[in-house]
Structure formats: C-alpha cells, structure tokens
Amino acid sequence: PLSTHNHEAELIVEQLRREKAELQHALEMRTQEHVLLNEVISTVGSTLRLDEVLHHIVDIVVRATQCQKAFIYLYDKEKEHLTLAATTPQHKRFVDKIELPLGVGIAGWVALHREPVFLKEQAMDDPRFHYFPELEEEKFQSILTVPIISMTSDGRQLIGVITVQAIAPHEFTEEHQRFIGNTAALVASAIENAQLYENTQRKLRILTSLSILSQTMSAGLYLDDMLRSLATLTVQIMEIDLCVIMLMDSSRRLVVRATSPNLNDHTQLR
C-alpha cells in the first residue's frame, strides 16, 4: 500500500538525517581537535621557557576536555618522584610544593605503569587515589590521567603526567582521550628541550658568577668587602635565600662577618 511505502520512506529519511547529524558532529569535533592540536604545536614551538609552555598546555587541555582543573607533574629521575609543575590558576601557589612518589596516587600509578587512567565518576573511591586537601579534590568526580613519555634509543622514558579533573561525572570520549594522548606526545620533547635550555642557562649563570668571584678574590679588597661579595655570589650560584659567613675570633667564638643582601642587619646573629 502507498501509506506503508511512505512510512518506510520517512523512516529512511529520518535515519539519513540522524547519520548526517552524527557525521557533522564528528567532523566538528575532529576539526576542533585539529585546531587545538595546532595550538599545542604552536605553543611548544614558541618558547623554551618551561613554565610558559606548561601554563599554556594546562589552559588548552582544560578547554579541550571541558573540565575544571588540570595538572602537569614532572618526573624527577634522581629523587624518583613527581613534582607539580603547572596547574590552573586557583591552585598555582602549590606549584613545586606537591610531590608524589612513583606508584602513589593515580598520577603516581600512571607514572609507574606508563598507562592512562580514565575514571568517569567516584574517583575518590578508587584504591589508587591519594587525597590532597589543599587541592580540594573532594569536589571532583572524574579524572583523566595520561603519562608523558619520550621515545629514545633506550626505550620509553618517563617525562611526567597530565591529569584533568571534572566536578560532575564526566564522559571522557575517544576524542578527549586521543587529544590528551597526542598532546602528551607533543609536549614530551618540548619539556625535554626546555629543561635542557634551563639547565644550560643555569650553568652559564654559575660560570659567570664564578668568574666574578675569581676577580673579586684577586682584586685586593678589604676582607669585609670580599666576604660580602662572596655571600652575595653564593646566593646567586646556589639559588638560595640567604648566605651567612662567620669567622672565629680570638676567643674561639664564631662571629658574623658578612651576609647576603637579604639580611643586612646581622647584629643579632650569633
């Protein structure tokens, strides 16, 4: 009958409309992903300053996943732990202050096993979860964490971990997972280059300071002037807050003779 034929035609048209909408959505998502990945590429190629690179990556990752928080931890090979290196603005004060041994917490587990973790909801109930009250993690339900891996001739080298968190239960799509994975791969070499640049700059500053120190020692200055210069240069070379130089007097007591500029009044030091 004609009515049956029309009904079947309407069903086919409706199915084609749904398929078109799904394809259009997939195309839009893929286009957005490519735009954001190009932004990542532009970011990692724009500067060798590690803090700037990581700050921009955090911002891009939050926008891409529509989550509220993101963290980037970097791996310290000598100490065998992760250190928080970048995060969203509300927790920026905790950068360099939060550390995780390998295997501790979800980020530590991901770093240890070099495998991603995707938790849609009830993240705090996961046995691998490690609670940091200062990060207000009780407010967040979902976590996506991926390792940052560098491929070298020696194999897969751990660079760090990227973590994003969402307040409400969050469905991490294949697009989200692919984007974070691709971002981690792009960021790995950028982090290595930035770390190498910063280490080189630090060594250059040390060599410059040592050269100035050598000139100071041979300049024939008065003892107090020379010690004051030594204290100041020591602070710069060792990247510390304070240097105090004490000499033993005739009664075998240590007496403060010079300090770095951060502490000009040393009369009360013993």
Side-chain angles (χ1 to χ4, degrees):
L2 184 60
S3 59
T4 301
H5 179 75
N6 290 339
H7 179 67
E8 291 177 351
E10 289 175 357
L11 290 176
I12 293 173
V13 170
E14 182 61 29
Q15 181 179 355
L16 290 173
R17 285 174 179 167
R18 286 198 301 269
E19 291 177 355
K20 179 183 177 182
E22 290 173 359
L23 288 172
Q24 187 171 358
H25 176 71
L27 179 60
E28 290 173 355
M29 293 298 294
R30 185 60 62 89
T31 301
Q32 182 183 15
E33 180 183 344
H34 286 167
V35 170
L36 289 169
L37 281 176
N38 284 332
E39 191 173 344
V40 171
I41 294 170
S42 176
T43 295
V44 299
S46 64
T47 177
L48 285 172
R49 290 195 50 139
L50 184 58
D51 56 341
E52 292 182 6
V53 171
L54 298 183
H55 171 75
H56 288 304
I57 295 301
V58 163
D59 177 64
I60 295 170
V61 165
V62 166
R63 285 189 282 121
T65 59
Q66 297 178 336
C67 289
Q68 286 74 43
K69 288 201 303 185
F71 304 91
I72 297 180
Y73 294 88
L74 295 184
Y75 176 55
D76 188 320
K77 190 174 182 179
E78 293 183 0
K79 297 180 180 178
E80 293 190 343
H81 68 211
L82 297 170
T83 301
L84 181 62
T87 183
T88 36
Q90 64 266 40
H91 298 300
K92 194 174 181 179
R93 63 188 182 279
F94 299 115
V95 167
D96 294 330
K97 293 181 173 62
I98 291 181
E99 297 177 348
L100 274 175
L102 288 188
V104 175
I106 293 175
W109 188 94
V110 167
L112 180 63
H113 296 276
R114 274 67 162 177
E115 296 178 11
V117 167
F118 308 102
L119 300 176
K120 178 182 176 182
E121 57 188 354
Q122 304 297 328
M124 290 186 68
D125 294 338
D126 191 285
R128 296 167 294 188
F129 189 86
H130 182 82
Y131 179 59
F132 285 101
E134 57 266 48
L135 298 182
E136 303 175 297
E137 293 181 306
E138 70 277 1
K139 298 179 181 179
F140 294 85
Q141 295 262 4
S142 306
I143 290 180
L144 182 158
T145 305
V146 298
I148 303 173
I149 300 293
S150 174
M151 302 302 296
T152 68
S153 57
D154 298 327
R156 301 170 75 228
Q157 300 295 320
L158 177 66
I159 303 297
V161 170
I162 298 177
T163 293
V164 294
Q165 295 180 346
I167 294 176
H170 194 78
E171 186 68 48
F172 292 113
T173 64
E174 290 185 10
E175 288 81 7
H176 291 151
Q177 298 175 31
R178 183 173 60 246
F179 175 80
I180 297 298
N182 289 336
T183 297
L186 289 169
V187 168
S189 59
I191 291 175
E192 284 187 310
N193 291 337
Q195 288 175 331
L196 179 61
Y197 173 76
E198 289 191 353
N199 288 336
T200 301
Q201 291 297 105
R202 182 175 180 274
K203 290 177 181 178
L204 180 60
R205 289 195 299 270
I206 290 174
L207 289 174
T208 302
S209 298
L210 287 174
S211 175
I212 295 173
L213 178 59
S214 176
Q215 295 173 23
T216 301
M217 298 288 283
S218 60
L221 299 175
Y222 289 108
L223 178 60
D224 285 346
D225 292 336
M226 185 179 69
L227 294 178
R228 196 176 301 113
S229 297
L230 174 60
T232 301
L233 289 169
T234 299
V235 166
Q236 296 172 358
I237 292 172
M238 299 186 67
E239 297 179 354
I240 54 178
D241 298 316
L242 176 66
C243 174
V244 178
I245 298 178
M246 295 174 284
L247 299 183
M248 190 172 292
D249 63 12
S250 57
S251 60
R252 300 186 62 78
R253 292 176 55 190
L254 287 173
V255 178
V256 175
R257 292 293 298 270
T259 69
S260 54
N262 291 13
L263 187 64
N264 293 323
D265 183 9
H266 57 257
T267 56
Q268 296 183 358
L269 287 177
R270 296 292 181 266

